[in-house]
Amino acid sequence: MRDTRTAPPMSLEAKSPYELRVDLSKDVPETDMRAAVQNGDIGFLHSFTTGATVDGPGVRVVAWTAGCNWRCQYCHNPDTWNMTNGMPVPLARATEELRKYRHGLKIMNGGLTISGGEPLMQARFVVKLFTAAKAMGIHTALDTNGYLGDRLSDAELQAIDLVLLDLKTWNPEKHRKLTGMDNAPTHDFARRLAAKKRPMWVRYVLVPGLTDDVKDIADIARFAASLGNVERVDVLPFHQMGQYKWKQLGIPYTLEKTEPPEPENVEWACEIFRTAGLQAY
Ligand code: SF4
């Protein structure tokens, strides 16, 4: 645990989301935290990172939120599960931070992505930050597991240029085992985005022995293709960069011996999506 009596103040910007960050708002009273979440004037953030090229189009700033309602076995950032691990950041400060990058983001056809954790745990803050970004002419993308999609009104969806929807696995029982939660609300959100014609990318993490079942991937591919608003699919190879966080946080980790997939297996998964008529990378 970080010793807040002696440690220097933590900067909002991190080199990568794989920096372990804990207890950054442990001194914020619970009632203040609840009020902040309800009005969205303060966000609880793991960090900002810059230069990302895998979290939406172009080169992007990513705001990593703290707090997640799922517990994925392969999560790379379990320090983002608890909101109290995030740094309390006033909306005005987050907006100012973003303002510094606005010209560069436009030149590099990028924008702001809000990821997590699960950003919609702090839906009010997310909407306010996206609205501020749009006012600066910055492209906005939300990386979400979709479970809390009904926290966004139809009007608020307009402030989001692109939804990166994480589909974890198709079979409901496997999904509950993998994430601790049902996938039906995620599918409902996907259908709603499709009905509203909101652009969407699907993200699929390929984990050998866990999410590499051909039928499961084909079912997701069929579903995604049926929506009509999925512009591309990113197959993300599992890696172990977050493994040390599980150890340091003392959370039992079941994938210690799991290796990243071979490139040809990633290509194989991409082909399943392509066969369904989608662009996959
Ligand atoms: S939804 Fe994302 S942040 Fe939450 S547990 Fe799963 S992988 Fe981790």
Side-chain angles (χ1 to χ4, degrees):
M1 291 286 160
R2 192 170 68 91
D3 184 343
T4 50
R5 289 165 306 178
T6 55
M10 182 76 68
S11 104
L12 178 57
E13 188 158 340
K15 286 198 182 65
S16 94
Y18 301 111
E19 277 183 18
L20 180 74
R21 294 185 164 204
V22 293
D23 285 347
L24 299 183
S25 56
K26 72 174 173 21
D27 297 329
V28 179
E30 205 188 318
T31 46
D32 291 4
M33 200 165 207
R34 221 175 285 142
V37 169
Q38 267 168 19
N39 65 37
D41 290 336
I42 294 176
F44 296 88
L45 300 182
H46 174 279
S47 59
F48 263 39
T49 56
T50 55
T53 54
V54 292
D55 300 297
V59 179
R60 308 187 71 82
V61 167
V62 183
W64 303 92
T65 59
C68 187
N69 52 342
W70 288 14
R71 295 290 178 264
C72 301
Q73 285 177 38
Y74 59 64
C75 184
H76 297 140
N77 291 308
D79 53 336
T80 63
W81 288 355
N82 292 331
M83 215 175 284
T84 52
N85 282 343
M87 181 186 305
V89 180
L91 178 70
R93 182 178 168 205
T95 305
E96 273 321 298
E97 193 73 16
L98 192 57
R99 191 183 303 280
K100 290 196 291 197
Y101 301 107
R102 69 187 191 284
H103 296 305
L105 291 176
K106 276 180 216 162
I107 290 164
M108 292 180 286
N109 297 316
L112 167 70
T113 298
I114 305 184
S115 185
E118 171 45 52
L120 294 182
M121 296 281 287
Q122 304 183 55
R124 295 305 96 211
F125 177 80
V126 165
V127 167
K128 285 185 173 179
L129 187 55
F130 276 153
T131 303
K134 294 293 293 172
M136 287 186 260
I138 295 173
H139 179 274
T140 56
L142 172 70
D143 178 21
T144 177
N145 65 35
Y147 192 91
L148 301 173
D150 58 6
R151 290 189 177 181
L152 298 173
S153 69
D154 288 348
E156 287 164 351
L157 288 181
Q158 302 301 317
I160 305 171
D161 293 314
L162 175 69
V163 173
L164 309 174
L165 189 69
D166 302 311
L167 297 179
K168 310 283 185 179
T169 193
W170 184 256
N171 179 286
E173 207 171 304
K174 274 171 74 175
H175 194 274
R176 269 189 294 275
K177 203 166 161 221
L178 176 66
T179 69
M181 299 293 270
D182 285 331
N183 54 8
T186 300
H187 299 162
D188 289 346
F189 185 51
R191 289 188 195 96
R192 181 170 158 228
L193 291 170
K196 299 287 168 201
K197 302 199 178 343
R198 302 308 300 157
M200 191 169 114
W201 291 9
V202 164
R203 311 184 100 195
Y204 187 78
V205 180
L206 186 68
V207 190
L210 196 64
T211 65
D212 58 354
D213 179 82
V214 61
K215 182 179 178 317
D216 221 66
I217 301 175
D219 284 342
I220 286 189
R222 236 189 323 274
F223 172 69
S226 74
L227 294 169
N229 64 332
V230 176
E231 296 177 347
R232 67 180 266 169
V233 178
D234 285 322
V235 176
L236 308 171
F238 166 77
H239 58 72
Q240 292 283 13
M241 283 166 76
Q243 179 179 169
Y244 83 99
K245 291 188 174 185
W246 289 74
K247 284 201 178 131
Q248 294 212 13
L249 294 168
I251 310 170
Y253 183 61
T254 53
L255 303 181
E256 211 154 65
K257 297 198 167 69
T258 303
E259 300 283 341
E262 298 296 335
E264 56 266 33
N265 290 345
V266 177
E267 187 52 26
W268 165 82
C270 285
E271 267 312 308
I272 299 174
F273 285 103
R274 288 182 197 129
T275 303
L278 296 159
Q279 287 190 48
Y281 302 91

